[in-house]
Amino acid sequence: MTVESNSELPSAFSQKEHNIIAAYLIAAGVISLLSNIVVLSIFIKFKELRTPSNTIIIHLAFTDIGVSSIGYPMSATSDLHGSWKFGYLGCQIYAALNIFFGMASIGLLTVVAIDRYLTICKPQIGNRLTTHNYIALIFAAWTNAVFWASMPVVGWASYAPDPTGATCTINWRENDTSFVSYTMSVIAVNFVVPLSIMFYCYYNISQTLKRYARNTYIESIEVDWSDQVDVTKMSVVMILMFLMAWSPYSIVCLWSAFGDPEKIPPTMAIIAPLFAKSSTFYNPCIYVIANKKFRRAILALIQCQVRQEVTINILPMHLSQSTIA
């Protein structure tokens, strides 16, 4: 079965169900776009925030804006239409861009974890990180995303509409050797490895802060959350949200690779990409807006204050702080 013929398969959902999905996509897209624009606006208004470390968050916001401005509208439009509306070329572009931004987001979240780990647990290394070091890490995340998004275009696996008929993704209907090898590689490099790194980093961060607390040395460290219990909870939330967003997609891919793709429930098939896309609107909440000092900057932005004295640390567990005036 060719990709072109796949695009002509009937949808597994009724038009009413398509409309419900479209309503969700529109709402999520608007929330994601606005929240990430606010994030970028804060960086534009307060130049003191444009540190090498915080550049990671800026790039993360760009990946979220990419999905919310391209992925959400095309998918929502197709759902309202009842089937994929943008043809074969549109399917290839849509799927490639969504994989590209998704893989870049995962890579950047991993870079955030590494940055926080080096800053908190290995300050002798973290304090020596230069702008070039951060550029290299960020460049690696984007390069990894380009590689995995382009492979199905050049023949390693392929892109095609999913069973809903209104969105395009990896063609897991054809679980041949090409698809299996690509899927296993993507899951290993872009799910298992990042998750392992995040868990290792945040676990060691929590342990380091506990040691500082026992030694009554925590006061000498300028962290945003003075209570190390809150930091530990936030670390757990980061890992759980990562798992929640990408686990369904990984399960569908594994099911397709080692089982019968035809037996995958249509509901599961649509939930997987929706969950993966959900990271675009919860990322600002976890990594940025959860910081009370950043909320003060948002308030200052909303109130159009020309000068606002606010101490901000955009990365919740970063040691250095900047004062905005």
Side-chain angles (χ1 to χ4, degrees):
M1 185 181 292
T2 64
V3 176
E4 288 86 351
S5 64
N6 268 341
S7 64
E8 298 172 358
L9 290 175
S11 172
F13 292 104
S14 67
Q15 185 56 51
K16 181 179 179 180
E17 291 169 326
H18 275 298
N19 291 340
I20 294 174
I21 296 172
Y24 167 80
L25 289 170
I26 292 171
V30 170
I31 294 172
S32 174
L33 191 60
L34 292 179
S35 62
N36 283 285
I37 287 176
V38 168
V39 170
L40 294 181
S41 299
I42 292 296
F43 284 107
I44 292 173
K45 182 176 177 64
F46 302 115
K47 64 181 181 180
E48 291 85 353
L49 286 177
R50 298 174 219 156
T51 64
S53 179
N54 293 344
T55 302
I56 306 169
I57 299 299
I58 297 176
H59 282 259
L60 186 59
F62 274 118
T63 66
D64 294 339
I65 288 175
V67 174
S68 57
S69 61
I70 298 174
Y72 280 114
M74 292 181 71
S75 186
T77 300
S78 295
D79 271 303
L80 291 173
H81 184 258
S83 61
W84 182 250
K85 189 175 175 61
F86 300 96
Y88 172 77
L89 180 60
C91 179
Q92 302 304 296
I93 295 173
Y94 168 90
L97 286 177
N98 274 280
I99 293 295
F100 169 67
F101 288 123
M103 296 301 101
S105 178
I106 292 172
L108 291 168
L109 295 181
T110 307
V111 173
V112 168
I114 294 172
D115 173 69
R116 293 174 182 175
Y117 169 75
L118 293 177
T119 300
I120 298 292
C121 303
K122 304 289 183 181
Q124 70 277 16
I125 299 176
N127 292 336
R128 293 203 304 267
L129 290 178
T130 65
T131 300
H132 294 296
N133 296 136
Y134 284 103
I135 290 175
L137 289 170
I138 292 171
F139 180 76
W142 285 108
T143 302
N144 177 72
V146 170
F147 175 81
W148 294 107
S150 62
M151 286 300 100
V153 176
V154 300
W156 190 11
S158 62
Y159 293 128
D162 68 5
T164 70
T167 186
C168 289
T169 185
I170 302 297
N171 185 12
W172 45 264
R173 281 194 181 98
E174 297 185 3
N175 56 343
D176 53 12
T177 303
S178 177
F179 169 79
V180 173
S181 61
Y182 177 83
T183 298
M184 295 306 298
S185 300
V186 168
I187 291 176
V189 176
N190 296 289
F191 184 77
V192 176
V193 171
L195 181 62
S196 300
I197 292 174
M198 281 188 245
F199 179 82
Y200 176 84
C201 290
Y202 291 131
Y203 173 78
N204 280 279
I205 287 169
S206 67
Q207 294 302 305
T208 299
L209 291 177
K210 286 179 181 179
R211 287 197 299 271
Y212 283 141
R214 285 198 299 266
N215 295 332
T216 66
Y217 185 61
I218 189 68
E219 293 81 1
S220 66
I221 303 175
E222 296 177 355
V223 293
D224 248 76
W225 287 300
S226 58
D227 188 352
Q228 56 87 20
V229 174
D230 288 341
V231 177
T232 304
K233 290 179 179 178
M234 181 56 65
S235 300
V236 173
V237 170
M238 290 174 182
I239 295 175
L240 290 178
M241 293 303 288
F242 176 88
L243 280 170
M244 187 185 77
W246 289 100
S247 290
Y249 197 86
S250 299
I251 291 172
V252 167
C253 289
L254 288 172
W255 189 339
S256 302
F258 299 104
D260 183 359
E262 299 299 326
K263 293 183 179 180
I264 297 177
T267 303
M268 180 71 173
I270 190 58
I271 286 177
L274 290 180
F275 266 61
K277 286 187 178 75
S278 68
S279 62
T280 62
F281 58 81
Y282 72 63
N283 277 339
C285 297
I286 295 179
Y287 293 94
V288 180
I289 301 177
N291 188 315
K292 62 181 181 298
K293 295 170 184 176
F294 188 81
R295 289 200 298 270
R296 295 173 189 166
I298 294 178
L299 183 61
L301 184 68
I302 294 174
Q303 295 176 345
C304 299
Q305 295 180 13
V306 178
R307 297 179 64 82
Q308 173 74 11
E309 292 234 355
V310 123
T311 302
I312 291 182
N313 167 22
I314 192 71
L315 293 180
M317 287 178 283
H318 204 283
L319 296 185
S320 63
Q321 296 181 336
S322 300
T323 301
I324 294 177

